[in-house]
Amino acid sequence: MNYTFLSVNCSYSHTSMAYHILKGYADPDELHDWQMVECSINEKVERVLRQLSKTEPDFLLASCYIFNHKELFEILRRYVLVNPSVKVILGGPEFLGNNEELLRKFPWISLIVRGEGEIPLKRVVAAEKYDRIRGLCWIDSEDRYRDNGTADLADMEEVIPHYNKLFDPDRPFVQYETSRGCPNRCTFCTSSLDPVLRYIPLEEVRIHLQRIQRAGIKEVRILDRTFNSKNSRSVELLNMFREEFPELRFHCEVDPAFIQETFFEALELAPKGQMHIETGLQTFSEETYDIVQRIGPMDKTVSGLTRICALPNVEVHADLIGGLPGCTVQSHYEDLMTLFKMKPHEIQLENLKILPGTPLAKREELIHSPTPPYEVLRTDTMTFEDLCSVSNWSKMLDWFYNYFPIQKVFIECCNSDYDFFSNFHKYLDGVGAFDKPLSAKKRFEFFKDYLEVINDSLHLELLAAAWYVAGFSPERGLFPATLYREDDFPENSVFLIGKDHEKWHKRYVYSTPSSTLYVSYSKGMINDSSTSISVHKLAL
């Protein structure tokens, strides 16, 4: 039999973990022919169809996610017309709920697997009867919907041998899991449906990382739902990363409420830039934590996050979710104000998605889109307009907080005036800024315009300095400076921002009625990444 796995990825940089693991687990003796067709969600359907047609599959397999649902079905609906005899087997988190409606809407789907795919697929490949295989959903020959619940969980020891082909040296990073399952029971998350924590032995992790290192891959994105779910193990992993793989960069998700002193001490020793920590705290509302059954105590969440954000050697990415049960516009605003004081490297704010099969999908007060990405449209505490405002806040975070050249000025503005973020949002909405993407230059322009509206000369000065350090022209643009021809800056000038240097190629001066800035460049090419740029300020 010919088995083709169709992997529809969110970008070229991503590749499928599922194919090699499923293939190796289901057909360890290689009794069948297996091929994979990979594409991104942005590729033309016709090209993918041609690739599929060349493989001539008897069985076509695919994993369906919230990000590729639409594109995957666009491909499949066409391919079954090209090859009407193909048996389509689908799995993935999109099928954790009731699958009858989907199976009846698309009768060309032969099987849906609910839950982890290793065991069900192995038994399907072995031609066992469907009614004996847990996790399968299908329409039988008598037009009855058959549902065998959720798949049994594979032992990690039996999955490990099939990791060998996961590490593609042509990709900029590798996705890797050292565990499955999650200690939390958050009702909005599909991970809450996988309560059994299973770990890959540390020695096997070491072997896998050695292979990744030999392949020349520099970044490892660990997919564990909660990297620090078991403190002693996570500390051993951090020590392993630091001592044996200092040139690798690791991205992992940490629950700040579970951080213990030994974990913090190990994280503190990591080489600068080695660890990128994502913290899915979602909200600071204790009431909402109780509603969604989040385990971690809020005081420990706050203290843990505060500590890791203060580490100079670690990059912290903080996640917030808008529209969670019990949350309001005001509570979300308070969440942002709290995070601005902690100063994580990045903040992501996305409105809630009501994912199929999660306990939250049963709550009638959460009105959401019936199609992917299932975004919440209204709750009993937030109107549609409220949620639109939160969506705008998300754009503001990307434009001004997560854009490093502006971040420091933006944080200072927000921390010095509680209403700054809200008022800036109203201003941007009024000038139509949210109607289209903003270039880096446009972000500076809108920021400058608003600071001039509120007559904030102090932060205008900092924004001007940020403009120069970002590599924009000192002679043209928002903050035009003139060539400085003296040998040295005035004695009462002090370093303000950038990378100071003794040797310089060009210097400029920018003056306003309230301040004077001196800008120096180590090389002639202003926008060259190797050029050091520094800004000094005339002290009053």
Side-chain angles (χ1 to χ4, degrees), residues 98-165:
N98 187 307
N99 294 310
E100 180 176 7
E101 181 180 351
L102 193 74
L103 283 163
R104 294 197 180 280
K105 182 177 180 181
F106 302 110
W108 42 262
I109 301 176
S110 300
L111 283 175
I112 285 178
V113 178
R114 181 192 291 117
E116 293 186 8
E118 286 91 350
I119 293 176
L121 185 59
K122 183 180 183 70
R123 299 181 67 181
V124 168
V125 170
E128 293 188 28
K129 291 184 177 180
Y130 291 171
D131 57 6
R132 297 178 180 176
I133 306 174
R134 286 185 55 79
L136 296 189
C137 302
W138 75 101
I139 303 295
D140 68 15
S141 58
E142 298 179 6
D143 199 40
R144 295 176 301 180
Y145 172 61
R146 305 291 297 275
D147 191 323
N148 285 0
T150 302
D152 294 325
L153 303 177
D155 291 333
M156 292 304 287
E157 289 77 8
E158 297 179 6
V159 175
I160 292 167
H162 313 299
Y163 274 63
N164 296 343
K165 296 182 180 179

Side-chain angles (χ1 to χ4, degrees), residues 316 339-340 342-347 396-415 443-444 447 459 462-463 466 497:
V316 179
L339 276 182
F340 290 158
M342 294 182 181
K343 301 179 182 178
H345 288 76
E346 294 178 328
I347 301 175
M396 289 178 65
L397 292 173
D398 284 340
W399 291 341
F400 302 105
Y401 191 100
N402 298 336
Y403 177 50
F404 185 73
I406 289 178
Q407 185 185 79
K408 182 178 179 181
V409 190
F410 186 71
I411 290 174
E412 288 201 17
C413 288
C414 293
N415 285 340
R443 298 174 202 184
F444 272 99
F447 203 171
H459 291 119
L462 294 177
L463 188 65
I497 192 175

Side-chain angles (χ1 to χ4, degrees), residues 13 33 164 178 231 260 295 302 308 319 326 337 383 419-420 429 487 495 504 520 537:
S13 299
D33 293 325
N164 296 343
T178 79
N231 184 69
Q260 297 183 27
I295 294 175
V302 172
I308 61 173
D319 287 329
M337 296 304 108
T383 66
D419 296 319
F420 179 88
D429 196 24
D487 290 336
F495 176 74
W504 50 270
S520 60
K537 174 185 176 181

Side-chain angles (χ1 to χ4, degrees), residues 229-286:
S229 60
K230 189 175 181 180
N231 184 69
S232 59
R233 173 187 166 84
S234 62
V235 169
E236 286 190 70
L237 283 171
L238 287 175
N239 291 336
M240 183 194 299
F241 297 165
R242 182 184 73 252
E243 295 168 1
E244 301 177 40
F245 306 99
E247 71 285 357
L248 294 182
R249 174 178 165 85
F250 295 89
H251 181 126
C252 57
E253 181 155 355
V254 166
D255 189 332
F258 295 165
I259 291 178
Q260 297 183 27
E261 189 63 32
T262 51
F263 180 88
F264 181 81
E265 290 171 354
L267 193 60
E268 197 173 22
L269 293 173
K272 184 176 177 61
Q274 184 185 40
M275 298 303 302
H276 181 105
I277 300 295
E278 184 169 341
T279 58
L281 64 139
Q282 321 311 359
T283 180
F284 289 106
S285 168
E286 199 153 9

Side-chain angles (χ1 to χ4, degrees), residues 142-329:
E142 298 179 6
D143 199 40
R144 295 176 301 180
Y145 172 61
R146 305 291 297 275
D147 191 323
N148 285 0
T150 302
D152 294 325
L153 303 177
D155 291 333
M156 292 304 287
E157 289 77 8
E158 297 179 6
V159 175
I160 292 167
H162 313 299
Y163 274 63
N164 296 343
K165 296 182 180 179
L166 291 179
F167 314 130
D168 185 349
D170 294 330
R171 309 284 177 165
F173 60 84
V174 63
Q175 294 176 303
Y176 176 67
E177 56 183 357
T178 79
S179 69
R180 291 183 182 179
C182 184
N184 272 304
R185 297 293 174 268
C186 305
T187 56
F188 56 82
C189 183
T190 56
S191 297
S192 67
L193 307 176
D194 188 2
V196 182
L197 284 162
R198 292 158 290 155
Y199 300 97
I200 293 179
L202 290 178
E203 187 53 38
E204 293 291 342
V205 174
R206 176 178 284 107
I207 292 171
H208 292 153
L209 291 178
Q210 288 169 348
R211 288 179 179 150
I212 290 170
Q213 187 178 55
R214 286 196 298 268
I217 300 168
K218 297 299 183 183
E219 183 173 335
V220 182
R221 297 188 181 180
I222 296 176
L223 302 181
D224 302 17
R225 272 75 158 198
T226 306
F227 178 74
N228 61 327
S229 60
K230 189 175 181 180
N231 184 69
S232 59
R233 173 187 166 84
S234 62
V235 169
E236 286 190 70
L237 283 171
L238 287 175
N239 291 336
M240 183 194 299
F241 297 165
R242 182 184 73 252
E243 295 168 1
E244 301 177 40
F245 306 99
E247 71 285 357
L248 294 182
R249 174 178 165 85
F250 295 89
H251 181 126
C252 57
E253 181 155 355
V254 166
D255 189 332
F258 295 165
I259 291 178
Q260 297 183 27
E261 189 63 32
T262 51
F263 180 88
F264 181 81
E265 290 171 354
L267 193 60
E268 197 173 22
L269 293 173
K272 184 176 177 61
Q274 184 185 40
M275 298 303 302
H276 181 105
I277 300 295
E278 184 169 341
T279 58
L281 64 139
Q282 321 311 359
T283 180
F284 289 106
S285 168
E286 199 153 9
E287 175 190 355
T288 296
Y289 264 36
D290 291 340
I291 295 173
V292 301
Q293 299 177 28
R294 178 79 172 218
I295 294 175
M298 183 55 66
D299 59 338
K300 290 188 176 181
T301 297
V302 172
S303 62
L305 184 57
T306 300
R307 290 190 72 183
I308 61 173
C309 284
L311 288 176
N313 60 319
V314 176
E315 294 181 8
V316 179
H317 175 116
D319 287 329
L320 296 173
I321 296 180
L324 285 168
C327 285
T328 63
V329 170

